[in-house]
Amino acid sequence: MSADTPAATPEPSETPPADVPPLERLLALQDLDTAVSQLQHRRAGLPERKDLTGVAAARGALEGRMAAVRAERTELAQRQGELEQQIATATARLETLEQRLYAARGAPARDLQAMDEEIRHLRHRRGELEDAELEVMVGAEPLDAGLEAMAAEQARLDGQAAALGAAIEEAEAAIDAELGERT
């Protein structure tokens, strides 16, 4: 051995020489067992795991809120579709009646008056339907904005979970390497 090379100290993973007393061998084995237990405990108790659990819980709660908002938004979309269909039906009926009214100049006054009355009724009904549709659309706007905000939050949580997962893998690899050196 040269003067500038330090003396090698036996690693706990090295088998003690046969001339080492049994008590010292037992102590060395106990030290190794303690070191391995500490590394395993450190691996199991990585703070990133707790953080990842918190992120997963937050994401789960967010998904629950998103599902509720989506359900409400779906109901509004269905209601809007129904209103649009009713408006289209009323508009088609109005056009038909107006054509008949203008084509029936020589018809009895009672028939013309009935068609005119139905046209006024349909216009009023279509106005009510359009107002209801507008209310549905206005009610959907905050839901859409909320869903967009929740989707952004979901993406942020997904990124955070991915970063934590990578940190956990890196920490586990370092601990596993250290365990490999000791055993």
Side-chain angles (χ1 to χ4, degrees), residues 25-102:
R25 288 172 38 155
L26 182 63
L27 289 174
L29 181 61
Q30 186 178 13
D31 288 344
L32 175 63
D33 186 45
T34 300
V36 168
S37 293
Q38 287 173 341
L39 288 171
Q40 289 171 338
H41 178 73
R42 194 170 93 201
R43 188 179 197 278
L46 289 171
E48 292 88 353
R49 284 191 205 284
K50 183 179 177 186
D51 295 343
L52 185 58
T53 301
V55 168
R59 193 174 191 293
L62 179 65
E63 286 175 358
R65 290 193 317 270
M66 287 178 79
V69 172
R70 279 190 192 113
E72 188 176 348
R73 181 61 178 99
T74 299
E75 287 177 22
L76 287 177
Q78 289 172 344
R79 177 71 179 135
Q80 183 178 354
E82 291 168 1
L83 289 168
E84 287 172 354
Q85 186 177 9
Q86 291 175 8
I87 291 169
T89 301
T91 301
R93 178 72 178 142
L94 265 171
E95 290 171 358
T96 301
L97 284 173
E98 287 173 345
Q99 289 173 357
R100 279 183 45 205
L101 181 65
Y102 294 122

Side-chain angles (χ1 to χ4, degrees), residues 137-158:
M137 292 169 68
V138 167
E141 286 178 9
L143 296 178
D144 291 339
L147 282 172
E148 285 181 29
M150 286 187 251
E153 176 67 8
Q154 187 178 38
R156 186 190 70 76
L157 288 172
D158 288 346

